[in-house]
Amino acid sequence: MLKQLLLTALTVLLCNTALAGVVTNPLYTKADFWTSRLPKGEEVIMTPAQIKLFNQKVNQVLPAKTFDLAALPARVDSSVFKKNLTDYSALNGTVYKGGVKVEQDYKDRLIDQVNAGQLPEQVEVRYAVVTKHSNLRSLPTEDGLFDNPEDTCYDDLQNTTLEVGEPVAVFAASKDGDFYFVEMHNYQGWIARENLAFCTREQWLKYLEPERFLMVIDPDYNLPLSGRTLYYQMSARIPYQSQTPTGYVVTVPTRTGQGDLKNISVSVPKAKALHEGYLPYTQNNIIRQAFKYYGHVYGWGGLRCSVDCSGLSYDLFRTMGLYLPRNAGDQALTAGLGTNVQGFTRQQRLAALATLEPGSTIHLRRSHMMLYLGQVNGIPYIIHSSGGYYKDGKRIEVQKVIVSDLELEKKMQDNFYPFLMLSDKYMTFKL
């Protein structure tokens, strides 16, 4: 089996890079191969009560990156969000839209739409629910801005995506009213007005803390609704009211013509993509959920209805009730246990990896997240969403969720940035 593996040397590590030993052996690209090696893979790592405490610790460790929405006061100081609202860094230097260089007047118009000069010292919090799978943007536009004219993947304005039913706090509006600046549980950014429905706090809390819900555990799920379909991605929650002999009656948020929330009851059949409540937090479930994305296109910030490196970990852990920061650098700093191997020799790193539980995450220089699968014949393997890797100084595009090896050549020792091997029993986060 190992003879069929493509094992080549890693020469450069950058954000979103793959490791050169991309696995093509079908055996290694199936979750069952890796879960079959775990005698305690079905043991519950944390109970729901323990997970709740862990999520609270995440909020305490990274208060500027994760937010306790239920604790928001009725009015907030604009300093809570103004730094993110006025972050124009994506406009620095030369950027391109549709392959054409963006001129300064376009940048000025976009900054004007932020309307920061009209922001009061305190704002009244408004409550809303997302009604369509949506992009969360760093500036109030759906236009894609890129660092080079050929790029169509790495949109500088893309933060993340929001799922149908995601509750958000609304802080501000763009000058033309087409976008709202919102806060979700782990990000702040701009969302198109047409994708939000405003509601009372009481209605909003039912989406923030649903009594009963179905968890989407496949990469995507399409819910039929009045001649159209609503798209949900893995880790979306769909509140349900009751069960039927063949399925569920679920609650779907829709937007009225006035922009208010209108809940619709819809009957949906049982499906393998849906699970009642969160999955149990186990090693096997971590690995199974990751492999559901295997082969899917790389999705920067959730674009292409897919995942980037940190989006993969965010989605799969959220299906088990763990709510992480969105970006790789913040995930590396979140709660849990970890080992920093900066300064370790190659052999010391490999020895440390041998003690790591499969299902743990590995972070390369706080910019790339990988999920550890285990070792075969002394070679460590990972699954991750990768844009591409470098070989002989040339970038080779991958743009997929792949399995690869984690062998590190001796010549890379001086250039290899520290990674965090994260575990609390089988936990995957740094303390």
Side-chain angles (χ1 to χ4, degrees):
M1 290 182 294
L2 287 176
K3 292 180 181 179
Q4 299 177 44
L5 295 178
L6 174 62
L7 300 177
T8 57
L10 173 65
T11 58
V12 180
L13 282 170
L14 293 175
C15 181
N16 304 319
T17 60
L19 297 169
V22 180
V23 171
T24 58
N25 186 330
L27 184 66
Y28 289 14
T29 62
K30 300 290 189 296
D32 288 350
F33 172 80
W34 301 102
T35 58
S36 67
R37 297 156 51 87
L38 304 175
K40 298 181 179 180
E42 299 295 345
E43 287 188 3
V44 172
I45 299 167
M46 280 188 176
T47 65
Q50 291 170 325
I51 290 173
K52 183 177 181 179
L53 291 174
F54 175 82
N55 288 337
Q56 292 173 357
K57 175 64 76 73
V58 171
N59 288 337
Q60 294 167 3
V61 171
L62 292 171
K65 299 294 183 178
T66 57
F67 312 103
D68 184 357
L69 293 183
L72 271 177
R75 298 181 67 84
V76 300
D77 193 289
S78 60
S79 63
V80 170
F81 60 89
K82 190 172 183 178
K83 179 180 178 181
N84 289 331
L85 180 130
T86 58
D87 181 3
Y88 309 129
S89 59
L91 302 178
N92 293 342
T94 302
V95 293
Y96 300 85
K97 178 169 75 77
V100 178
K101 180 181 175 181
V102 170
E103 300 299 334
Q104 187 61 43
D105 64 332
Y106 173 89
K107 296 180 181 180
D108 292 340
R109 291 196 304 272
L110 198 50
I111 291 172
D112 184 56
Q113 282 299 320
V114 171
N115 211 24
Q118 300 301 312
L119 196 65
E121 289 187 9
Q122 283 205 328
V123 299
E124 182 178 351
V125 176
R126 301 176 69 189
Y127 303 97
V129 176
V130 177
T131 58
K132 179 183 178 182
H133 181 81
S134 306
N135 294 322
L136 191 70
R137 311 288 286 168
S138 59
L139 289 171
T141 180
E142 291 286 2
D143 292 345
L145 299 185
F146 303 89
D147 290 338
N148 65 73
E150 294 80 24
D151 188 7
T152 59
C153 299
Y154 300 98
D155 183 351
D156 292 337
L157 300 184
Q158 180 69 7
N159 288 336
T160 187
T161 53
L162 302 97
E163 300 303 323
V164 178
E166 190 77 39
V168 297
V170 181
F171 294 148
S174 61
K175 191 173 185 177
D176 59 13
D178 288 343
F179 285 81
Y180 288 105
F181 190 82
V182 305
E183 179 175 282
M184 59 184 293
H185 78 92
N186 66 356
Y187 229 119
Q188 295 176 345
W190 296 90
I191 182 174
R193 174 186 61 188
E194 63 187 16
N195 297 341
L196 280 186
F198 286 90
C199 60
T200 66
R201 178 176 169 81
E202 289 69 29
Q203 292 172 311
W204 181 77
L205 285 172
K206 291 181 180 179
Y207 282 94
L208 183 64
E209 300 168 348
E211 181 180 351
R212 293 177 295 186
F213 62 90
L214 302 176
M215 171 62 65
V216 177
I217 60 172
D218 275 1
D220 47 50
Y221 172 71
N222 291 299
L223 188 151
L225 180 66
S226 303
R228 61 189 178 96
T229 58
L230 278 180
Y231 173 78
Y232 294 80
Q233 197 162 307
M234 181 187 288
S235 84
R237 298 184 304 183
I238 308 175
Y240 75 90
Q241 304 161 23
S242 61
Q243 295 190 48
T244 68
T246 58
Y248 305 87
V249 177
V250 301
T251 301
V252 176
T254 63
R255 174 186 168 89
T256 69
Q258 293 72 43
D260 296 323
L261 174 67
K262 180 181 179 181
N263 288 321
I264 297 179
S265 298
V266 181
S267 294
V268 298
K270 292 181 179 179
K272 67 179 182 64
L274 303 175
H275 183 272
E276 288 184 37
Y278 295 116
L279 290 168
Y281 179 33
T282 68
Q283 275 184 295
N284 284 354
N285 278 340
I286 294 171
I287 293 171
R288 290 185 191 116
Q289 289 304 111
F291 270 92
K292 288 181 179 180
Y293 273 117
Y294 176 78
H296 279 237
V297 66
Y298 176 88
W300 173 257
L303 293 173
R304 302 177 175 181
C305 293
S306 193
V307 290
D308 53 20
C309 64
S310 55
L312 174 64
S313 56
Y314 172 76
D315 275 6
L316 74 89
F317 285 111
R318 191 179 178 185
T319 64
M320 288 164 266
L322 294 110
Y323 283 69
L324 304 183
R326 175 56 180 82
N327 292 333
D330 299 322
Q331 289 181 6
L333 297 175
T334 195
L337 299 177
T339 301
N340 189 326
V341 298
Q342 186 175 20
F344 281 28
T345 66
R346 178 176 178 275
Q347 290 304 316
Q348 288 173 326
R349 289 173 181 149
L350 290 174
L353 276 170
T355 69
L356 188 63
E357 289 287 354
S360 297
T361 57
I362 299 173
H363 294 264
L364 292 176
R365 68 177 193 181
R366 292 183 54 199
S367 63
H368 188 56
M369 193 293 303
M370 303 166 288
L371 190 77
Y372 181 61
L373 296 173
Q375 296 192 28
V376 179
N377 293 341
I379 299 174
Y381 291 92
I382 53 176
I383 183 170
H384 53 139
S385 186
S386 171
Y389 64 92
Y390 284 76
K391 181 179 180 181
D392 299 329
K394 291 182 61 178
R395 180 175 169 85
I396 299 175
E397 292 297 318
V398 175
Q399 297 293 322
K400 284 184 180 180
V401 178
I402 60 170
V403 174
S404 67
D405 68 76
L406 191 57
E407 271 287 0
L408 307 177
E409 291 298 317
K410 183 177 181 181
K411 62 186 176 183
M412 286 303 302
Q413 286 187 20
D414 294 335
N415 296 324
F416 184 65
Y417 286 80
F419 59 82
L420 302 173
M421 301 178 304
L422 309 174
S423 64
D424 178 356
K425 190 177 180 183
Y426 308 126
M427 277 293 300
T428 57
F429 313 107
K430 181 175 180 290
L431 183 59

